[in-house]
């Protein structure tokens, strides 16, 4: 048995009935991924770039994201794959599977870091205004 057969067996095991996502769960996960930090970032974007340029950027990102989503769904339907990793594996072999997995992991870690940074930027002024943090305490470490 070669590596591709092992990978197919792992994929089938992963996608057994116990791991199937519900439609509402998928929709909520997509909404969370698309909105995410954007809710916090849009006001800063408008402040830094002006309203017209911000709207152009938001529309361009919307069109790019929509195209990418449609392309991914079409590739999944054509190849019979059930995940982004499976699409990459069928297109580029085991290296494609590893590359897609590593890139998704990097994206998840990057998203978490950006979320923490955005929350810090929003919460520090509120905590200062409440008088719980002195002006010169920028590092938020416990005393």
């Amino acid at each position: 048995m070669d590596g591709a057969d092992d990978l197919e067996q792992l994929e089938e095991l992963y996608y057994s009935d116990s791991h199937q996502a519900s439609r509402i769960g998928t929709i909520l996960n997509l909404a969370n991924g698309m909105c995410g930090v954007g809710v916090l970032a849009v006001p800063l974007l408008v402040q830094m770039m002006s309203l017209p340029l911000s709207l152009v950027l938001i529309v361009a990102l919307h069109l790019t994201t929509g195209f990418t989503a449609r392309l991914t769904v079409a590739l999944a339907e054509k190849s019979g794959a059930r995940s982004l990793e499976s699409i990459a594996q069928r297109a580029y072999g085991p290296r494609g599977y590893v590359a897609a997995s590593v890139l998704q992991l990097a994206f998840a870690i990057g998203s978490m870091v950006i979320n923490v940074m955005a929350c810090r930027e929003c919460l520090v002024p509120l905590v200062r205004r409440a008088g719980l943090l002195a002006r010169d305490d920028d590092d938020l470490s416990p005393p």
Side-chain angles (χ1 to χ4, degrees):
M1 198 178 272
D2 64 0
D5 290 336
D6 290 341
L7 189 60
E8 289 292 324
Q9 285 180 343
L10 284 173
E11 185 177 307
E12 288 301 319
L13 179 64
Y14 179 77
Y15 286 111
S16 66
D17 288 336
S18 63
H19 287 91
Q20 292 295 324
S22 67
R23 182 176 297 249
I24 189 70
T26 302
I27 290 170
L28 291 174
N29 193 17
L30 279 171
N32 181 37
M34 286 189 279
C35 294
V37 175
V39 172
L40 299 172
V42 168
L44 182 63
L45 173 74
V46 172
Q47 178 187 6
M48 293 177 72
M49 294 183 59
S50 79
L51 183 61
L53 192 56
S54 298
L55 291 175
V56 168
L57 182 61
I58 289 170
V59 168
L61 287 173
H62 165 71
L63 294 174
T64 304
T65 302
F67 173 75
T68 304
R70 285 190 299 277
L71 184 64
T72 302
V73 168
L75 287 172
E77 288 175 351
K78 254 188 171 178
S79 69
R82 298 182 193 176
S83 69
L84 194 58
E85 295 95 341
S86 298
I87 294 171
Q89 189 264 334
R90 291 182 183 176
Y92 301 109
R95 288 184 180 184
Y97 182 88
V98 171
S101 298
V102 168
L103 289 172
Q104 281 189 326
L105 179 65
F107 178 76
I109 292 171
S111 295
M112 287 188 300
V113 169
I114 290 170
N115 269 311
V116 168
M117 291 172 59
C119 288
R120 181 184 183 278
E121 290 296 318
C122 293
L123 292 177
V124 168
L126 293 174
V127 172
R128 278 198 184 125
R129 190 169 286 175
L132 301 174
L133 184 67
R135 286 265 177 222
D136 55 350
D137 290 339
D138 274 345
D139 63 320
L140 295 180
S141 59

